[in-house]
Amino acid sequence: MSSARVGAARLSTQIKVTRTGSTIAGPTRAGSPRNHILRGDCAALLGDLAPESVDLVFADPPYNLQLANKLTRPDQSVVDAVDDDWDKFDSFNDYDAFTREWLAAVRRVMKPQATVFVIGSYHNIFRVGAIMQDLGFWILNDIVWRKNNPMPNFRGRRFTNAHETMIWAARDSGAKHYTFNYEALKAANEDCQMRSDWLLPICTGNERLKDEAGRKTHPTQKPESLLARIILAASNPGDLVLDPFFGSGTTGAVAKRLRRDYLGIEREAAYAEAAQARIQAVEPLGAEAVALAPTRRSEPRVPFASVVEAGLIAPGAVLTDAKRRHKALVRADGALGITGGIVGSIHRIGALAQGLPACNGWTFWHYEREGALAPIDDLRSQVRAQMRAAE
């Protein structure tokens, strides 16, 4: 879009698509509505939203593909590529100005601990990343979406373009407590850390929205699996997820299913209407299916003395490691003692017993339970359960 077209779009009437699918002409109201699609220029509409009101942003902006000619297969059939006006810009300078404008508007509405994912291809993502850094965003990761069914390179003159890149960034370098559901992602990945290369299929089959003639409703519809991983990774139930280039509504559909709120902005009426119908058909999952499991970082601190005071282990009991090579005596004050009169915390004594600089005493030390050894961390879990029940 040229800068002139951006200005024209701002002067046009803005339309709000409501949850029931009806439209209301006129300027959008102040604040940040939830579960709505706002129709119009994203930078202008973002300016109407309340500052610091959004928890997560997913942005799939125009890629500025600049296709000079039609793309054909070896049999000369035409590939259904992106040649819509919304992806056309007069120059790189125009594209950069457009990118800077919407990114600055997005940054204004992000909460201090909010994060943003921006997806793109080699045509635009490097320009986007540089502008994000210029604006003060703090890049956390670049994530490669590897497509397990990419479109082949028909002319055989380049590598098959089998991936897209996402930039994940915090609002600024001071954001230390942004949402990242590390342990949930690790559990879903067979207890391995989730990597920054994601192998997922492109959008096909029944998930692909089509019109009455069987044509794609949107040329670059993203798969729900991609948005599900993003939303599960970087938001919590009830959070507000913003998508300033809403398109076919994948963000809204997935957010609703995962019991998050969404706010979409879309210029094209056909896309907004298709997205609205799609979202209305979604049934949210049960609360238990999306509830976040407590993480170790979020749970209350429990000293070993509390375990002793709760009567879960008695002073004078002997703790050992899992292989019974080391022993320590539980003292009445919650400290441990070992041979030589050395006294200290469960962590310090565990480290000294092994000759190591540090040790997690909760997992190293074990107690006898019904003829078998169990980590004292199990006793800490019981204390935490009692604390939750008393709330």
Side-chain angles (χ1 to χ4, degrees), residues 25-344:
T28 58
R29 64 179 176 85
S32 297
R34 289 173 176 258
N35 304 315
H36 282 271
I37 304 172
L38 307 178
R39 207 190 130 212
D41 174 66
C42 71
L45 291 177
L46 285 167
D48 294 334
L49 303 181
E52 299 187 356
S53 58
V54 171
D55 298 288
L56 174 65
V57 181
F58 172 76
D60 184 10
Y63 286 10
N64 193 26
L65 297 179
Q66 301 288 333
L67 296 177
N69 301 298
K70 290 183 177 180
L71 184 62
T72 59
R73 299 182 179 86
D75 63 2
Q76 299 307 305
S77 60
V78 177
V79 176
D80 187 14
V82 180
D83 59 359
D84 302 81
D85 288 341
W86 50 260
D87 194 60
K88 296 177 181 178
F89 296 81
D90 294 336
S91 67
F92 285 132
N93 285 338
D94 277 356
Y95 185 79
D96 290 350
F98 161 78
T99 301
R100 189 171 291 105
E101 184 177 29
W102 74 258
L103 277 171
V106 160
R107 190 168 183 267
R108 186 188 72 86
V109 302
M110 291 171 63
K111 292 180 180 179
Q113 307 305 328
T115 59
V116 56
F117 287 79
V118 184
I119 191 169
S121 69
Y122 65 89
H123 302 87
N124 72 322
I125 197 64
F126 305 108
R127 308 186 77 86
V128 170
I131 291 170
M132 291 180 76
Q133 290 180 312
D134 289 344
L135 291 173
F137 288 95
W138 187 257
I139 295 178
L140 301 170
N141 277 114
D142 66 323
I143 299 167
V144 175
W145 168 29
R146 295 172 52 213
K147 305 173 184 179
N148 61 9
N149 50 347
M151 180 185 296
N153 184 269
F154 294 112
R155 296 182 181 178
R157 300 289 293 173
R158 302 184 186 183
F159 296 106
T160 296
N161 187 24
H163 77 277
E164 293 183 28
T165 300
M166 286 187 293
I167 295 173
W168 182 38
R171 198 182 74 168
D172 53 57
S173 60
K176 304 300 183 184
H177 301 291
Y178 52 85
T179 298
F180 180 52
N181 296 315
Y182 167 82
E183 293 183 14
L185 292 169
K186 184 178 179 181
N189 196 39
E190 298 183 351
D191 290 325
C192 294
Q193 288 187 343
M194 185 65 71
R195 293 161 50 110
S196 62
D197 54 336
W198 299 356
L199 181 62
L200 299 168
I202 62 174
C203 183
T204 57
N206 294 333
E207 187 181 320
R208 169 69 73 172
L209 299 189
K210 295 183 179 179
D211 61 21
E212 295 179 354
R215 297 184 296 261
K216 296 177 183 178
T217 299
H218 194 287
T220 63
Q221 181 178 336
K222 294 300 182 287
E224 292 190 4
S225 57
L226 179 69
L227 268 298
R229 186 170 294 183
I230 290 169
I231 290 173
L232 289 170
S235 71
N236 299 314
D239 281 354
L240 178 58
V241 183
L242 168 69
D243 186 337
F245 305 96
F246 205 56
S248 60
T250 303
T251 301
V254 175
K256 182 179 178 182
R257 182 172 295 115
L258 297 177
R259 302 183 78 89
R260 276 74 168 170
D261 292 332
Y262 69 89
L263 176 58
I265 301 176
E266 178 51 52
R267 280 179 48 194
E268 307 295 327
Y271 296 163
E273 291 169 4
Q276 188 66 49
R278 176 186 185 184
I279 294 168
Q280 285 180 330
V282 172
E283 290 294 331
L285 293 172
E288 291 185 2
V290 298
L292 295 174
T295 65
R296 294 186 183 275
R297 292 181 181 179
S298 66
E299 291 181 327
R301 182 177 179 274
V302 175
F304 185 62
S306 295
V307 173
V308 177
E309 292 164 356
L312 297 176
I313 194 165
V318 175
L319 304 181
T320 70
D321 67 295
K323 295 184 178 180
R324 300 182 186 272
R325 294 174 298 184
H326 307 286
K327 294 182 180 181
L329 181 74
V330 176
R331 290 165 46 94
D333 57 5
L336 299 187
I338 56 176
T339 302
I342 301 173
V343 176

Side-chain angles (χ1 to χ4, degrees), residues 324-368:
R324 300 182 186 272
R325 294 174 298 184
H326 307 286
K327 294 182 180 181
L329 181 74
V330 176
R331 290 165 46 94
D333 57 5
L336 299 187
I338 56 176
T339 302
I342 301 173
V343 176
S345 70
I346 58 173
H347 311 297
R348 178 172 179 268
I349 296 302
L352 288 173
Q354 301 174 86
L356 298 176
C359 169
N360 182 345
W362 290 109
T363 55
F364 176 74
W365 293 113
H366 289 61
Y367 70 104
E368 192 87 24

